[in-house]
Amino acid sequence: MSKGYAPVHRRYSFFDKYNVEYIDNLIPGTLPLLKEKMVELLNTLEGLDRNRESFGMVHFDYNDGNYSIDFDTGQITVYDFDNSCYCWYMFDLAGLWTQGVGWIQFEPDAGKRKKFMDNYFETVLEGYKSETRIENSILDKLPLFIQVTVMEGIVDAFEVMRNNGEEPECDEDLSYLIKCLEDDIPYKGFFHEIYSCEEPFECEERNI
């Protein structure tokens, strides 16, 4: 549907929001390495192809809370398109990956978590490919786009604080995301020593 969509009023594009100026204004100056890593990520994305098969209107918040399934027919109904924008389709697939960890996040064995996620994503791609094709060259960039979802999560956290008139601070969740980006830890740290199945996706609070 997205590939054939001709909007009357076009939604914004990824780089309209996620750009160096916005990042510099939003992220506190006490986090220079984070800003640097975000700019590096944006520069990498700038170099990617944006053709009709890889780039178009995406949901941008596709997760288990934003669709329902009719188990009699198999029909999936998707909702909450507030964040929709023009981006790589791979972003939504990476978003599904990061949401899928919830099914196995309390497993202490990283190898078992990895095996589960490989199988999970195979299922995701089977469904995706039943509707449209996707090139292996862009699928290979899953780790890159998982980093983009981490960046989006960080940006969202600081936006919420700004919009609520709060001073920027880092709780355990935000500190974890920042560490993943600053230290180039792939797959949201899910297979890394930083991860704890007892306190999933949390680390010591960062003082900013």
Side-chain angles (χ1 to χ4, degrees):
M1 290 174 68
S2 178
K3 290 175 180 178
Y5 178 58
V8 176
H9 302 289
R10 187 178 176 89
R11 294 281 290 183
Y12 67 92
S13 188
F14 177 85
F15 290 110
D16 293 337
K17 175 176 180 179
Y18 297 90
N19 55 65
V20 174
E21 181 180 3
Y22 187 70
I23 294 298
D24 191 48
N25 289 332
L26 179 69
I27 304 300
T30 53
L31 296 169
L33 179 57
L34 176 62
K35 289 189 180 188
E36 179 184 322
K37 291 294 183 178
M38 285 184 165
V39 171
E40 286 179 7
L41 197 52
L42 291 174
N43 288 337
T44 299
L45 292 174
E46 286 278 11
L48 297 184
D49 196 2
R50 284 176 245 176
N51 60 50
R52 181 177 175 273
E53 293 299 319
S54 64
F55 193 95
M57 174 71 77
V58 301
H59 187 282
F60 213 72
D61 191 21
Y62 192 63
N63 60 66
D64 288 346
N66 282 339
Y67 65 83
S68 60
I69 304 172
D70 184 330
F71 287 98
D72 292 329
T73 65
Q75 181 71 37
I76 298 175
T77 302
V78 184
Y79 33 81
D80 191 3
F81 288 86
D82 292 3
N83 295 330
S84 291
C85 66
Y86 283 87
C87 187
W88 288 271
Y89 296 125
M90 197 64 206
F91 180 90
D92 273 358
L93 286 170
L96 272 174
W97 192 98
T98 60
Q99 294 295 322
V101 299
W103 296 102
I104 194 72
Q105 64 180 352
F106 298 115
E107 167 58 55
D109 189 316
K112 290 181 180 178
R113 294 199 301 270
K114 175 72 164 58
K115 183 177 180 180
F116 177 91
M117 291 308 298
D118 287 345
N119 292 335
Y120 169 86
F121 201 63
E122 275 186 25
T123 303
V124 168
L125 287 179
E126 183 180 351
Y128 190 89
K129 289 177 179 179
S130 72
E131 294 291 338
T132 186
R133 69 188 183 93
I134 184 167
E135 300 293 340
N136 287 334
S137 58
I138 193 73
L139 280 175
D140 290 343
K141 291 183 170 43
L142 175 62
L144 169 66
F145 280 95
I146 290 175
Q147 289 292 74
V148 179
T149 69
V150 170
M151 178 178 72
E152 187 274 333
I154 295 170
V155 167
D156 181 69
F158 280 110
E159 283 179 338
V160 169
M161 286 182 271
R162 179 198 63 191
N163 295 341
N164 289 338
E166 301 168 355
E167 287 295 317
E169 61 179 8
C170 289
D171 60 13
E172 292 92 342
D173 297 329
L174 180 55
S175 297
Y176 182 95
L177 294 178
I178 290 173
K179 186 168 181 61
C180 284
L181 216 55
E182 286 186 338
D183 294 356
D184 299 315
I185 301 173
Y187 294 101
K188 203 177 176 182
F190 200 44
F191 314 125
H192 189 273
E193 61 185 14
I194 185 181
Y195 184 77
S196 167
C197 63
E198 297 173 353
E199 297 179 324
F201 306 106
E202 294 184 3
C203 70
E204 184 178 353
E205 288 187 17
R206 180 77 166 268
N207 184 7
I208 59 170

